[in-house]
Amino acid sequence: MDHFPIFLAVQGRRIVVSGGGETALAKLRLLLKTTARITVFAETPEDGLSALAAERRITLVSRALGPGDALCAALFYAANDDPAEDARVARLARADGALVNWVDNLENSAFITPAIVDRDPVTIAIGTEGAAPVLARAIKADLEERLPVSLGLAARVGKAFRKAADALPMGRKRREFWAEYYFNTAPQAIEKQGEAGLEPALHDLLARHLAEAPTRGRVDMVGAGPGDPELLTLKARRLLDRADVVIHDRLVAPAILELARREAILIDAGKQGFGPAMAQDEICALMVEHAAQGAHVVRLKGGDPSVFGRLDEEIAALDAAGLDWSVVPGITASSAAAAQIGQSLTKRDRNSALRILTGHDMKGFAEQDWRGLARPGTVAAIYMGARGARFIQGRLMMHGASPDTSVTAVENAARSDARTIATTLGRLASDLEDAAPTGPVILLYGLAPRWAEAALPRQSADLKEEFA
């Protein structure tokens, strides 16, 4: 992000524009929506500028900008449609201490003006850092259609009522009040009685919310999926947007955490195999503590909460505390990894069963039914298996598994930085050591990527390099 979006207070402050043509008028159509004091410098102003000056909406100075003319200006626009003149006035404005926008010259501008959806006081700014103005306009048009004109009226009345609403406790209780106002009460009141119906409706709504019992806290165990935000369920996204507290695992991608409310408390409860970890008892205590105080807690887990997510231990702690909870499934890593390599986890005449294993548990490398796994045609998804690859390789081969059995390691499945390492059981440990993955890895035992299964004329080393 090269441009940080902010909303600048301009009430009563100077905004200066240099230019007398259509470019200057285009900027003024937007600037005149503000409560700033606007001054325009133009040697030969168009009629539209003169008309605005006659209406006292702008101060028009019929000469070129000179030294000191941009003093105390919050913003300055160079809009002369003349590169040499725009360079000159931009230099003068910078010397006067103003933030300068040189129209259609991103490199020499200290700020840019976004596309704006105006439902005053609700304002939505859309910027593409100059990369795609057409896209910004398309997004603006879409939002204009979605947001009713009455939204601004509801927001203005609601703004004046905020002090009265402070009688409600901070957090979830107050958010529920405002959500009901904007999405139910206000539209209905405007439709029936217009603006006159808004304030009485607000008072009635506040009285009802004050009379209600305090909101009980709850915990939702939510699957974050393999890391791609687009693979979140709709329910998971909705709960993230509502949560007061998000207790998340190490494997939850930053892009998914970005979907939480800005005011939400984010707590990293990550565990790392053979590395630093927050004790499970401490995680359970955190969930109970926050929910008991009335917070809506989202326990956000990578993949699916029910697959190696210690879900039962956390549910038991919530039940013991008498707290409400729910489980929201997520796409688990084995499904994402199989999709990554173009394979299905089960296939007629290949395998009628799928085994889901963990490479290690609380006691270290996990023992499994190695003899059963070593049988030809077995397909298994092995979670947390990268560090124990040599152990897994040895156990399987000791029980008769062929060294030529296909194994595919998928790192960061379904993410933009995903990596696929196609190998065999006999080369598994050495190939993983060479690849040195740093992200979460799932091993798909008995599966090769579809292109490798089709016996394309490529060597193992080439395959690894192409998918690195």
Side-chain angles (χ1 to χ4, degrees), residues 237 239-243 245-246 254-266 300:
R237 293 195 70 147
L239 291 173
L240 269 176
D241 186 58
R242 295 177 179 175
V245 180
V246 178
I256 290 177
L257 294 177
E258 283 290 320
L259 299 174
R261 291 188 313 109
R262 293 296 176 201
E263 301 84 0
I265 299 170
L266 302 183
L300 193 61

Side-chain angles (χ1 to χ4, degrees), residues 33 176 312 389:
K33 292 177 178 287
E176 288 174 347
D312 295 279

Side-chain angles (χ1 to χ4, degrees), residues 120-265:
D120 185 31
V122 178
T123 307
I124 302 171
I126 307 155
T128 63
E129 300 199 341
V134 171
L135 179 59
R137 285 194 291 273
I139 295 170
K140 170 182 164 68
D142 183 54
L143 290 173
E144 293 277 5
E145 289 182 16
R146 291 169 182 264
L147 300 177
V149 176
S150 61
L151 178 64
L153 170 60
R156 285 194 294 276
V157 174
K159 181 181 179 181
F161 197 78
R162 291 191 71 85
K163 192 173 288 289
D166 286 349
L168 291 166
M170 277 283 289
R172 184 178 169 191
K173 185 78 173 172
R174 199 176 295 178
R175 286 201 312 277
E176 288 174 347
F177 166 79
W178 285 116
E180 186 171 353
Y181 167 68
Y182 280 112
F183 300 121
N184 295 310
T185 304
Q188 292 170 11
I190 290 173
E191 183 179 355
K192 293 177 180 177
Q193 297 174 280
E195 183 175 357
L198 279 175
E199 191 166 344
L202 265 171
H203 283 288
D204 291 344
L205 182 64
L206 178 61
R208 178 160 59 79
H209 275 257
L210 286 170
E212 289 175 353
T215 305
R216 280 176 53 86
R218 63 173 291 110
V219 179
D220 295 303
M221 270 76 76
V222 175
D228 182 351
E230 293 187 349
L231 293 179
L232 279 176
T233 64
L234 293 173
K235 189 170 185 178
R237 293 195 70 147
R238 185 170 68 250
L239 291 173
L240 269 176
D241 186 58
R242 295 177 179 175
D244 301 301
V245 180
V246 178
I247 302 173
H248 63 91
D249 287 346
R250 178 181 65 89
L251 297 180
V252 177
I256 290 177
L257 294 177
E258 283 290 320
L259 299 174
R261 291 188 313 109
R262 293 296 176 201
E263 301 84 0
I265 299 170

Side-chain angles (χ1 to χ4, degrees), residues 24-38:
L25 275 169
K27 288 298 175 190
L28 286 170
R29 291 187 194 104
L30 184 59
L31 295 174
L32 286 169
K33 292 177 178 287
T34 73
T35 52
R37 295 184 295 112
I38 300 171

